[in-house]
Amino acid sequence: MTAGRFARRCGVRFAKLATWQLTAGAAVVGLALAAGSVAAAGPWDSGQRTAERDRAAALEDGGGADHGNPASRKDAADGTGGTDARARKTPAAAPSAPSVLAALGASTGSAQVPEEHALAKLLDPLLDSGSLGPQRTAAVVDAATGKQLYGKAAGQALTPASTTKIATAVAVLTAAGPDHRITTRAVIEPGSAKDAKVVLVGGGDPTLTARKDAKGNASLRTLADDTARALKAKGVDEISLGYDTSLYSGPLVHPIGLNSNIAPVSALMTDEGRLDDSASGPAPRSGDPAADAARTFANLLRDRGIKTETTDPSSAKATDRAEQLAAVQSPTLSALVERMLTNSDNDIAEALSRQAALATDEPASFDGGAKAIGKQLKKLKLPLTGAQFADGSGLNRADRLSASLLTALLARAADPDHPELRPVLTGLPVAGFTGTLRNRYADAADALGTGLVRAKTGTLTGVNTLAGTVADTDGRLLVFAFMTTGTTDPQTAQSTLDRAASALAGCGCS
């Protein structure tokens, strides 16, 4: 597709983009890393990664998971493409673009590094804006060398809000590994067929689904199918059913209290405890997601010819002697990390922090997860001065991160020696296209960043943050972090940060 044709299809706001920028946007998952270090595919090549290249790179109607309209978002937010693309009138996933990626990699290796004084001249007027409140910090780093090119109180730790999820992602990918999957099991305790006791054992998978279309997630229906089949093979058609959530410890409810942004954090839940058919964003939540999941499982077993003593299963701990009947597994952690970052998913974030805790012998709790994140980042020798972790999602205002730490995390994810961290970059929302940046970068002042800025957003009352990657006009990949505290007009503060990131995209500052 030509640059002009793409601009006409996607709107006039792209008119200012140069041809090479449109090409980069068309392969938006392709990161301009030094020396051509990124291949077109890799172990992190998930549905989200496919989704990110679709809208811009497709030859026909092409585009995928996170490019649907709001009405179809609940179908598509899982990163697998949702319902039929033609029915949604949104693009289907496009193939990868190895030639584009190779070109970007080659150009980055020879591109000039922006000059520090030129960056300061560009960013200072924006970041000194009164809309950003009394405290604002920033850092811009060359991804290839790790050198800081711009800093404004970069080492000062502020409330990061959801940019905390970048730290959570790095911690869990290094602690548990990108290919790790979370298992939900059904087991049977020793005993006679007349006294069969089955326990549904939660492994901490927040994406376990009870919906008919699992969309690539672990399915409670599949688990019920396999469990019923295994029971019948044993001559069992009536059981007592319990559920085990003992993998997690500590409080279930986040310190912010019951909230539509996060369910009680349980080792057993279906569909993130959502009480509607949504897949992302705020939603009414179950007060006891584990009990609800167990009740659903009991109903599914009854539909498959296995009676249960009660419609209300009780909490129970599976013994070491229990025999596994069936199991289902989540998508890989790399896929969960991408989904967490794209949609700023708090439920996945808290689940991943607990997976990091389990992998580092910490309790699977808010406190244990926070300790595990700090422990992993310390192992990576990242700049932790002033850093404090209180949760995995960034909902807790006690979290503290610096712009230096956020850029160091992103630079480490861009390091060719750490391919396991690539989902941290491929999962970042794309300006004007995906996730929490889908509806941003719509103004003329932000046009240069559309499709080129990939960044994690962070928003709490009085807090606005943005951290991510962008290639400048010379093709040099930069990582950046902008943090503010004390803002009173969140929309204006958000727009100012978007403008700063767009300024980097339009920078020929060498």
Side-chain angles (χ1 to χ4, degrees), residues 109-374:
S110 58
Q112 292 294 315
V113 179
E115 294 181 0
E116 296 176 33
H117 76 274
L119 280 179
K121 186 177 180 180
L122 180 74
L123 293 176
D124 279 346
L126 290 167
L127 298 178
D128 286 341
S129 168
S131 67
L132 297 183
Q135 288 183 294
R136 73 286 302 272
T137 68
V140 178
V141 168
D142 176 35
T145 64
K147 180 183 178 182
Q148 181 174 295
L149 305 176
Y150 175 85
K152 181 182 285 292
Q156 181 182 353
L158 297 180
T159 303
S162 278
T163 53
T164 299
K165 293 181 175 74
I166 297 172
T168 302
V170 170
V172 73
L173 289 171
T174 55
D179 296 326
H180 177 70
R181 297 174 186 266
I182 304 170
T183 302
T184 306
R185 301 180 296 135
V187 301
I188 186 169
E189 297 289 354
S192 68
K194 294 182 180 179
D195 189 30
K197 181 179 181 181
V198 172
V199 182
L200 177 62
V201 183
D205 179 8
T207 62
L208 177 70
T209 182
R211 294 170 182 168
K212 288 183 178 179
D213 185 355
K215 301 180 192 256
N217 297 309
S219 170
L220 194 68
R221 292 170 182 265
T222 299
L223 187 63
D225 287 339
D226 296 344
T227 300
R229 189 178 302 113
L231 287 170
K232 290 175 182 177
K234 291 177 175 293
V236 175
D237 60 9
E238 185 169 355
I239 62 169
S240 63
L241 179 64
Y243 60 94
D244 185 348
T245 60
S246 62
L247 184 67
Y248 286 3
S249 60
L252 293 176
V253 178
H254 192 280
I256 64 170
L258 295 173
N259 192 284
S260 62
N261 288 298
I262 186 170
V265 184
S266 171
L268 177 65
M269 63 170 62
T270 56
D271 301 299
E272 299 185 337
R274 294 172 181 271
L275 299 178
D276 58 15
D277 60 355
S278 66
S280 63
R285 306 299 184 110
S286 166
D288 191 348
D292 285 352
R295 278 191 288 270
T296 301
F297 190 61
N299 290 333
L300 291 170
L301 288 177
R302 281 195 292 274
D303 291 343
R304 289 153 177 77
I306 304 297
K307 298 178 183 178
T308 58
E309 289 182 353
T310 174
T311 58
D312 242 352
S314 57
S315 177
K317 190 175 188 311
T319 69
D320 292 339
R321 297 181 300 145
E323 174 192 348
Q324 181 170 298
L325 294 168
V328 291
Q329 291 190 313
S330 73
T332 61
L333 291 189
S334 61
L336 296 185
V337 161
E338 288 185 324
R339 193 184 313 180
M340 170 189 70
L341 293 171
T342 298
N343 295 321
S344 199
D345 193 302
N346 299 307
D347 301 279
I348 294 178
E350 294 304 338
L352 293 181
S353 75
R354 283 155 181 74
Q355 291 299 312
L358 292 168
T360 56
D361 298 321
E362 296 291 343
S365 63
F366 285 106
D367 289 344
K371 188 173 181 180
I373 294 169

Side-chain angles (χ1 to χ4, degrees), residues 438-486:
R438 175 196 296 271
N439 297 318
R440 288 167 63 163
Y441 292 79
D443 298 333
D446 302 328
L448 284 174
T450 304
L452 298 181
V453 172
R454 308 173 61 94
K456 182 69 199 76
T457 58
T459 307
L460 293 171
T461 302
V463 174
N464 292 88
T465 59
L466 189 70
T469 69
V470 63
D472 68 11
T473 58
D474 292 322
R476 195 80 187 186
L477 184 69
L478 307 175
V479 297
F480 66 88
F482 305 138
M483 308 181 74
T484 69
T485 298

Side-chain angles (χ1 to χ4, degrees), residues 380-478:
L380 293 173
K381 298 181 180 180
L382 294 166
L384 292 172
T385 301
Q388 298 178 30
F389 297 99
D391 64 5
S393 61
L395 288 172
N396 196 321
R397 289 179 178 272
D399 290 318
R400 293 288 185 275
L401 277 70
S402 67
S404 290
L405 175 56
L406 286 170
T407 51
L409 288 163
L410 292 164
R412 186 63 59 89
D415 187 338
D417 291 335
H418 290 276
E420 76 280 3
L421 296 181
R422 207 70 74 238
V424 177
L425 302 188
T426 58
L428 292 173
V430 181
F433 284 95
T434 64
T436 55
L437 289 184
R438 175 196 296 271
N439 297 318
R440 288 167 63 163
Y441 292 79
D443 298 333
D446 302 328
L448 284 174
T450 304
L452 298 181
V453 172
R454 308 173 61 94
K456 182 69 199 76
T457 58
T459 307
L460 293 171
T461 302
V463 174
N464 292 88
T465 59
L466 189 70
T469 69
V470 63
D472 68 11
T473 58
D474 292 322
R476 195 80 187 186
L477 184 69
L478 307 175

